[in-house]
Amino acid sequence: MGIIDFHTHAFPDALARRAVASLEESGNISAYGDGTIKGLLASMDAAGIERSVLCSIATRPAQFDDILAWSAAVRSERIIPLPSVHPRDEKLLTRIREVHGQGFAGIKMHSFYQDYLLDDPALFPLYEELSELGLLLVIHAGFDIAFPRQRKADPARIDAVIRRWPKLKLIATHVGGWDDWDEVERLLVGRPVYLELSFGTDFLPQERLKRLLLAHPQEYLLFGSDSPWTDQKKSLEGLRSLDLPQELFDRIISSNARHLLKGLSG
């Protein structure tokens, strides 16, 4: 049963150095890798990770085609790309159908880099289409280290979306909301929403994180690292150090992700 990391990033080789340097500066954070596919695979090998979900972010509508083409080019048995759509793309629903038609599992969106509110009514047709097609929606959840503290995709907005679209396979990164975990516990823990765990072991006390994970439906938890912004091996070791029940640990690192990605090949 191989380990699956549900939250990683990489860039085309020609852009990787510049992209990583820019993000390091804006977020005041150091990368653990070079931001290339080769670097990601080396990190996976060092951590004993079988497959990684690769999340892209379209910061402009015009980036869709390039991101889709690159995602298709790097897709493999070990790399599972999620392309990205921009919320203000005039062809938004057509883009979603194209993502589906090319066999991708879903998309990634980021409320800060794309400047939108998660529960904006303008996005309701998008959520309807994703729900009908069974596509995943991985979102940056909570605040962001590189931006002013605004509630763009916070637990309250996540709660509103999943109540309206119960079939939507929404995956809230950073344990449901980076640095907004009081609200995560109040509104999301115990609910049918996928929580991806990147930065959890870095920012939450062990006792609190373990309590949160034990209180959530075990089939709705996913291991993620946000590589290259954390070290995959260290993230995995941090999760192991919680000493979770073995069945729950196995679900988090592998079987829950396999269920979501069922039928998907490289």
Side-chain angles (χ1 to χ4, degrees):
M1 181 175 62
I3 299 167
I4 298 176
D5 184 337
F6 223 90
H7 186 178
T8 69
H9 299 280
F11 308 91
D13 289 353
L15 304 176
R17 179 178 295 182
R18 186 167 73 251
V20 169
S22 175
L23 291 165
E24 284 181 321
E25 182 178 1
S26 64
N28 193 28
I29 188 172
S30 296
Y32 286 79
D34 64 5
T36 65
I37 294 293
K38 182 178 179 180
L40 175 58
L41 288 167
S43 172
M44 292 163 61
D45 289 341
I49 291 170
E50 179 185 281
R51 307 176 80 188
S52 283
V53 174
L54 178 66
C55 299
S56 293
I57 301 168
T59 57
R60 294 179 287 109
Q63 292 178 336
F64 172 79
D65 288 328
D66 286 344
I67 289 174
L68 190 70
W70 182 70
S71 297
V74 301
R75 177 164 49 181
S76 71
E77 286 294 332
R78 300 193 69 194
I79 301 295
I80 306 164
L82 297 185
S84 183
V85 298
H86 195 281
R88 287 182 291 282
D89 191 330
E90 292 180 357
K91 300 178 180 178
L92 186 58
L93 299 187
T94 300
R95 306 299 199 196
I96 292 299
R97 295 177 193 122
E98 192 169 353
V99 168
H100 180 258
Q102 292 200 23
F104 292 102
I107 60 169
K108 167 69 186 289
M109 297 182 72
H110 196 301
S111 57
F112 287 91
Y113 285 102
Q114 296 178 316
D115 190 23
Y116 71 92
L117 301 179
L118 187 69
D119 59 351
D120 184 343
L123 294 176
F124 290 1
L126 170 65
Y127 300 148
E128 184 68 28
E129 190 72 11
L130 291 169
S131 298
E132 288 302 312
L133 294 176
L135 292 176
L136 310 179
L137 172 60
V138 177
I139 63 163
H140 172 86
F143 300 114
D144 189 283
I145 196 169
F147 290 86
R149 294 174 71 86
Q150 296 175 294
R151 294 186 175 278
K152 289 177 173 281
D154 61 302
R157 295 187 193 277
I158 293 169
D159 177 58
V161 168
I162 63 172
R163 286 182 184 277
R164 189 177 183 105
W165 285 277
K167 293 198 304 180
L168 179 62
K169 297 175 182 177
L170 187 148
I171 297 158
T173 60
H174 307 309
V175 200
W178 187 80
D179 207 24
D180 200 12
W181 291 296
D182 287 345
E183 288 297 279
V184 170
E185 289 200 84
R186 187 174 74 87
L187 294 171
L188 300 182
V189 170
R191 302 284 310 289
V193 56
Y194 290 97
L195 303 183
E196 178 274 317
L197 306 184
S198 59
F199 285 126
T201 57
D202 300 89
F203 289 93
L204 279 165
Q206 278 194 325
E207 300 80 6
R208 186 180 186 188
L209 179 58
K210 184 173 183 176
R211 183 183 75 239
L212 186 156
L213 299 183
L214 291 173
H216 200 66
Q218 62 179 1
E219 67 270 28
Y220 283 91
L221 295 168
L222 299 161
F223 168 69
S225 67
D226 205 1
S227 175
W229 307 115
T230 67
D231 178 80
Q232 286 182 300
K233 185 175 182 180
K234 182 181 176 184
S235 295
L236 193 55
E237 289 171 349
L239 183 62
R240 283 197 178 100
S241 72
L242 298 179
D243 194 26
L244 296 169
Q246 188 64 46
E247 180 185 358
L248 176 57
F249 181 77
D250 290 344
R251 278 182 170 271
I252 292 171
I253 66 166
S254 186
S255 57
N256 288 345
R258 289 179 189 281
H259 177 72
L260 281 176
L261 301 169
K262 185 167 53 180
L264 193 69
S265 60

